Amino acid sequence: MKPADQKRLLREMIFYRRFEERCFEAYMEHKIGGFLHLYVGQEAVATGVLEMARVKHDYIITGYRDHIHAIKTGAPAREVMAELYGKETGSSRGRGGSMHIFDPTVNFMGGYALVGQPFPLAAGLALACKHKGTDQIAICFLGEGANNQGTFHETMNMASVWKLPVLFVCENNRYAIGTRVDRSTAVVDQYKRVCGYNIPSSQHDGQDIEVVMESAKKAVDHVRGGKGPYFIEYLTYRYRGHSMSDKTALYRSKDEERQWQERDPIRIYDRKLKQAGVVTDADIKAMEQEIDAMIENDIVKFAEESPAPRVEDLNKYVLDDNPDPRWIGPLQNSY
Amino acid sequence: MAELAYWEAIRRAHDEELARDPNVIVMGEDVGLIGGTYKATSGLYQKYGEKRVIDTPISENSFTGIGIGASMAGMRPIIEIMSINFALLALDTLINAAAKIRYMSGGRATCPIVMRTPGGTAHQLAAQHSARLARVFMSTSGLRVVTPRGPLDACGMLKSAVRCNDPVIVIEHERMYNLKEEIPDHEYFRPLEGAEIVRRGTDITLIGYNLSLHMCLETAKRLEQDGVSAEVIDLRALKPLDRETIRRSVEKTHRVVIAEEDEAAVGVGAEIMATVIEECFFALDAQPVRIHAADVPVPYAENLEKVAIPNADDVYQAALKVMGRI
Ligand SMILES: Cc1ncc(C[n+]2csc(CCOP(=O)(O)OP(=O)(O)O)c2C)c(N)n1
């Protein structure tokens, strides 16, 4: 990879971290409501996998921890922030909020709150790609907790028999809210769970973006090459609570948290790039300043200044707002 | 008498029933180690152990089905589903199995499970976390459906539900867990059937359940200042429904407003409205009015959410209209 690209990737990850932290602040200021799930600690996974995908071409879908997946796919960050602020300019026009970022213009097909719900949707996107004969693939990002849902097993089976071009990315951050993976799951290594469906799979370090990219490239090539689905598991960690109200002390130790902090994906990558002479501390400092300024002066400002949805538009988007009368009527009666 | 919060009252019912009967078990996501999303089972895992208070994987249909199976073999499972939205995943086992096992077996098999779940809108939780869905369970024969309005019923009805031999759905509300009320220190039970007149009046009947009951109570207070005496009925049990109490109240007041937080179509309010028409149409002096949510998925944006969901003022305005005051 070219040094310029490496530098860009580092900058992206720093930006994603700062973006999420800024969301946290905005939540504390009551600018953001509802449930807010942050991606802090897991940045290398979405960044690395999507770097290897053909974004805006492939279909991407995920759960409620979705801001960064949307942005890396190409959803404008200011629209994502405006969505969190509940504004008309938001990705989902203020109707969806944090858990439901959508941007079909870049084939980001949404964030979903129901655990396990995206599995079949992803397979459906892949079915459409296969049906149309395009070289697009579908990529589904979900946590390890979702793999205990029935949709996981049912979808893996169908994706496999129908050889659908879908890549399942399992972000194993070890906890589903307060439940550690070994307390809920008989086979803790998630990649082994798809063997029963004859889907090839592998497990990798999710904190080192170079490892992520290398493994993701192989997986993407496999799927795009028409060989059917692939399941890839990344071992990662969320540094914050599950959502804003979650208290991690109830279920995990400070010691464990510290160990994972040492494997911070941004630190791992910036250390590598510094050693390779691609960036200096001064470069990173400058990046951070530029990012913070951009977040404040562009992203947050846009969200703050955007209008809220109009109350008169409450019924908009429930059904097609401009339906073709040939299909829906009205039917003429004589009274 | 001690004042308990709604969640503490639920916790107490669990605690008493777990202590009494070794066949009582608790199942659900994060109900154990961390004590439940709304703390309703806090400390019970530590007290009764992981065999009695079971943290389940995220597998609603199957862990509910496991609870149902266990109940057929003599256990008394209390299943918590973290939000009624997720209960949709368990509808197969609840509606196709639990609700029908007694009937299909000619009364020879039973499944005495309790499924507790919060339904309702909270604060900007958006379309996939704001379902109310009482109507779905209310329209299923073979289930009992109750909606405790406060800590007294939350504890007393849950205990009755555990003892009762039928599958019981207990619908709570995310915005009610911190509601406080005095409840007896001694063990007590509250019946699973029967609407309750929680405020007597003569001019108009306000009918609610769960959170909407509180909108009715607030409205009654405001109406009193206008010189209107409102009777308030808490449905308490949506299934079976106490038609008698509704009829007798409306025959006395001749006017009725029904409040629910859900959308109108095929809903609880629609059922009550039909009940009023069937039971006491000729006693009515004014057209009954339903208060309900707008016919849209629940929006995230605060201002939209506010207009999509009914509030106490909507009930008050409707009452004035039914009284012919506006
Ligand atoms: C069907 C369903 N059941 C339960 C929940 C509540 N819930 C939200 S997130 C979550 C944990 C999910 O864990 P995992 O899939 O590992 O993803 P992570 O949050 O770690 O990214 C649970 C139980 C839900 N949203 N949907």
Side-chain angles (χ1 to χ4, degrees), chain A residues 37 42 64-65 99 112-117 142-147 149 171-179 238 242, chain B residues 29-30 58-60 81-83 85-87 89 128-129:
Chain A
H37 307 83
Q42 303 182 205
Y64 39 82
R65 207 180 294 286
M99 299 187 284
Y112 298 81
L114 281 104
V115 172
Q117 194 169 56
L142 283 177
E144 82 294 340
N147 299 346
Q149 204 59 280
E171 304 198 46
N172 183 351
N173 61 13
R174 297 171 48 79
Y175 295 86
I177 309 187
T179 303
R238 65 168 154 70
H242 169 73
Chain B
E29 291 157 22
D30 286 310
I58 311 168
S59 314
E60 287 84 2
I81 295 189
M82 205 182 265
S83 149
N85 301 266
F86 318 154
L89 280 88
Q128 292 192 322
H129 270 85

Side-chain angles (χ1 to χ4, degrees), chain A residues 112-147:
Chain A
Y112 298 81
L114 281 104
V115 172
Q117 194 169 56
F119 285 125
L121 303 183
L125 293 166
L127 184 118
C129 299
K130 185 168 172 143
H131 183 80
K132 292 180 186 168
T134 68
D135 69 344
Q136 292 164 289
I137 66 170
I139 305 182
C140 177
F141 290 87
L142 283 177
E144 82 294 340
N147 299 346

Side-chain angles (χ1 to χ4, degrees), chain A residues 33-35 83-84 86 94-97 99-100 112-115 117 145 148-149 176-179 183-184 250 308-311 314-315 318, chain B residues 30 33-34 45 55-60 82 85-86 89 123-129 174 294-301 303-304 307-308:
Chain A
F35 285 143
E83 185 58 35
L84 306 185
R95 270 59 169 191
M99 299 187 284
H100 311 301
Y112 298 81
L114 281 104
V115 172
Q117 194 169 56
N148 291 322
Q149 204 59 280
I177 309 187
T179 303
R183 297 185 60 236
S184 65
L250 289 175
R310 295 176 342 146
V311 169
L314 177 66
N315 294 312
V318 178
Chain B
D30 286 310
L33 181 65
I34 70 170
Y45 174 91
D55 276 321
T56 65
I58 311 168
S59 314
E60 287 84 2
M82 205 182 265
N85 301 266
F86 318 154
L89 280 88
H123 301 282
Q124 288 187 270
L125 300 189
Q128 292 192 322
H129 270 85
E174 304 207 25
D295 189 12
V296 298
V298 177
Y300 166 71
N303 63 335
L304 291 184
V307 292

Side-chain angles (χ1 to χ4, degrees), chain A residues 206-218:
Chain A
Q207 301 307 87
D208 183 335
I209 191 168
E210 291 185 329
V211 173
V212 173
M213 286 190 291
E214 194 189 324
S215 53
K217 182 168 185 336
K218 283 187 197 144

Side-chain angles (χ1 to χ4, degrees), chain B residues 130-166:
Chain B
S130 302
R132 289 128 292 175
L133 291 179
R135 61 171 88 179
V136 172
F137 298 104
M138 187 188 193
S139 63
T140 304
S141 357
L143 295 179
R144 290 182 175 279
V145 184
V146 298
T147 54
R149 68 170 172 273
L152 183 77
D153 266 356
C155 178
M157 290 176 98
L158 180 52
K159 283 176 62 78
S160 298
V162 174
R163 311 283 180 108
C164 163
N165 291 328
D166 299 315

Side-chain angles (χ1 to χ4, degrees), chain A residues 228-240:
Chain A
Y230 193 92
F231 182 97
I232 198 159
E233 174 186 6
Y234 290 109
L235 302 177
T236 183
Y237 206 74
R238 65 168 154 70
Y239 289 165
R240 293 186 177 272

Side-chain angles (χ1 to χ4, degrees), chain B residues 113-251:
Chain B
I113 54 135
V114 181
M115 192 278 274
R116 298 176 36 245
T117 189
T121 63
H123 301 282
Q124 288 187 270
L125 300 189
Q128 292 192 322
H129 270 85
S130 302
R132 289 128 292 175
L133 291 179
R135 61 171 88 179
V136 172
F137 298 104
M138 187 188 193
S139 63
T140 304
S141 357
L143 295 179
R144 290 182 175 279
V145 184
V146 298
T147 54
R149 68 170 172 273
L152 183 77
D153 266 356
C155 178
M157 290 176 98
L158 180 52
K159 283 176 62 78
S160 298
V162 174
R163 311 283 180 108
C164 163
N165 291 328
D166 299 315
V168 182
I169 308 293
V170 184
I171 302 178
E172 300 161 4
H173 197 290
E174 304 207 25
R175 282 193 265 156
M176 285 173 34
Y177 284 113
N178 288 318
L179 215 139
K180 294 205 167 78
E181 187 179 14
E182 295 223 321
I183 71 175
D185 296 326
H186 59 79
E187 182 174 46
Y188 71 96
F189 297 87
R190 295 275 295 159
L192 295 175
E193 292 188 17
E196 187 165 22
I197 298 173
V198 289
R199 184 185 168 112
R200 298 208 166 274
T202 51
D203 300 335
I204 184 171
T205 300
L206 308 177
I207 303 178
Y209 65 98
N210 202 317
L211 193 74
S212 69
L213 185 263
H214 296 277
M215 300 180 200
C216 294
L217 285 170
E218 221 180 299
T219 299
K221 270 192 217 143
R222 282 178 76 181
L223 288 172
E224 190 173 1
Q225 285 159 17
D226 301 330
V228 174
S229 158
E231 177 142 303
V232 178
I233 296 181
D234 177 11
L235 291 174
R236 293 182 73 254
L238 300 181
K239 194 165 195 73
L241 185 67
D242 177 0
R243 296 166 70 97
E244 170 85 2
T245 298
I246 296 170
R247 177 178 64 76
R248 293 180 69 157
S249 178
V250 176
E251 279 176 352

